[in-house]
Amino acid sequence: MVVIKKVSLKAYILVESLVGLAIFAGVVTLLLSTTQAQVRQRSANRTRQEAFLVAQMAVQTKQETLTLNGQTVQVERTPTSMRLLVQGEELVYVYQVP
């Protein structure tokens, strides 16, 4: 039987602690990145919802352009269709089927 010295035992405990710390740091990083992605997604959803509400107001008031809360909505109407653009990007396109 080999006698284990205190020095090698301390080194083993140190290595084990560093491995545990690395695993913990990896898990925390993964959780934080997931949380940040969810926050960005919620923000995008709220912005899109606000754009829909401003577009609804523009259609109801029969305005061509409406700016509210930083959202600029343009309504393009033809006799058979309607396009709603939010800051130049198409939000909704509705047309009448013959």
Side-chain angles (χ1 to χ4, degrees):
M1 187 163 160
V2 179
V3 177
I4 300 175
K5 295 181 182 179
K6 288 186 176 183
V7 174
S8 64
L9 184 60
K10 287 181 182 178
Y12 180 75
I13 292 172
L14 177 64
V15 168
E16 193 175 75
S17 298
L18 289 175
V19 168
L21 181 63
I23 292 172
F24 178 71
V27 169
V28 167
T29 302
L30 181 65
L31 289 174
L32 287 176
S33 65
T34 303
T35 304
Q36 287 175 342
Q38 288 176 350
V39 167
R40 281 192 300 270
Q41 183 66 35
R42 281 188 195 141
S43 176
N45 286 344
R46 286 186 184 131
T47 301
R48 190 166 171 89
Q49 181 182 12
E50 189 170 332
F52 273 113
L53 292 173
V54 173
Q56 181 182 11
M57 289 180 216
V59 169
Q60 288 175 346
T61 59
K62 298 181 180 168
Q63 296 183 22
E64 294 294 319
T65 304
L66 180 63
T67 301
L68 187 66
N69 295 334
Q71 299 285 336
T72 301
V73 175
Q74 296 172 328
V75 180
E76 296 178 359
R77 290 182 176 92
T78 65
T80 59
S81 67
M82 182 185 332
R83 273 179 60 182
L84 301 174
L85 303 168
V86 177
Q87 290 150 352
E89 197 173 309
E90 187 174 83
L91 182 65
V92 177
Y93 180 71
V94 181
Y95 63 95
Q96 181 181 3
V97 178

